[in-house]
Amino acid sequence: KPAGKGKPAGKGKPAGKGKGKPSVKPVERKPTGEEKQVIEMVLRLRKANKDAEEEIHGWSIKVKTRPAKTGIKSSKATNIFIRAPDKAQLQSIVALKRKMGIITEAKATGSKSEKSDVQKLEEQKAKDTEASAEATEQDMEDTNEALTEEREDADEEAGDNEEAGDDEEAGDNEEEAGDNEEEAGDNEEE
């Protein structure tokens, strides 16, 4: 074909992307001592590139070699057969790690029925904000209640003081009235 004709580069679907399927991200933990020994034995037997059969910690590992397909660099291909202690048959290291519980499937991201981590975080943040607002509202109610009580107490004290002041004024008025009477009496005598 002449240059510049045909499909333009970069068009089309990226490799490995399915239609509408949610992507699943596996979660992997560190293997225990025994699990690590089993995995290392599988890797060692596979790397040896010859037929072998071993058993470790109840796991039976068998590696079979076969001629590689033409055009492949390796002269032999290996098949791995692993039998778990519960007699389950496995044929890959990933399957072995899944069986041991080292690799677990995370929830699918992009699935409509499952919530993403971002959605969960947003919901938790909303709950925290709501709880904080409720706590603030309760604090404000408590403060208003305390202030109202203080005002009522202050008003009562002021009322008591006014009554006491009224009594004193009444006494003063009585004294003045008595003084006036005396003056009036004195004036009559003159």
Side-chain angles (χ1 to χ4, degrees), residues 48 77 155 169-170:
D155 288 346
E169 285 179 23

Side-chain angles (χ1 to χ4, degrees), residues 19-151:
K19 279 188 177 181
K21 292 183 181 177
S23 61
V24 177
K25 294 183 180 181
V27 178
E28 191 168 342
R29 66 166 172 82
K30 289 189 176 185
T32 64
E34 280 188 11
E35 292 170 341
K36 191 173 182 177
Q37 290 174 349
V38 173
I39 294 168
E40 286 174 350
M41 179 167 284
V42 172
L43 292 172
R44 183 175 50 80
L45 291 174
R46 185 179 72 178
K47 191 174 182 178
N49 210 15
K50 58 183 178 180
D51 291 354
E53 194 168 337
E54 296 278 335
E55 194 167 314
I56 183 170
H57 303 298
W59 294 82
S60 176
I61 303 155
K62 184 177 181 181
V63 176
K64 288 276 257 182
T65 58
R66 58 181 168 76
K69 294 180 182 176
T70 57
I72 297 177
K73 293 180 183 178
S74 173
S75 60
K76 293 183 180 179
T78 56
N79 290 341
I80 302 170
F81 302 98
I82 305 165
R83 184 175 293 233
D86 67 355
K87 307 297 182 205
Q89 300 262 349
L90 312 169
Q91 294 185 349
S92 71
I93 293 172
V94 172
L96 172 66
K97 287 181 176 180
R98 284 188 178 132
K99 181 69 177 173
M100 292 176 163
I102 296 170
I103 295 178
T104 56
E105 297 298 324
K107 297 289 182 191
T109 58
S111 170
K112 292 181 181 177
S113 63
E114 295 294 329
K115 294 179 181 176
S116 71
D117 291 339
V118 173
Q119 288 172 324
K120 289 176 185 175
L121 287 172
E122 287 174 353
E123 286 178 1
Q124 186 61 43
K125 186 177 179 182
K127 286 179 185 176
D128 291 346
T129 302
E130 185 178 326
S132 177
E134 287 175 6
T136 302
E137 187 176 326
Q138 184 62 42
D139 288 346
M140 289 174 63
E141 286 177 12
D142 292 346
T143 302
N144 285 340
E145 193 174 298
L147 288 172
T148 302
E149 288 176 11
E150 286 180 15
R151 283 188 198 128

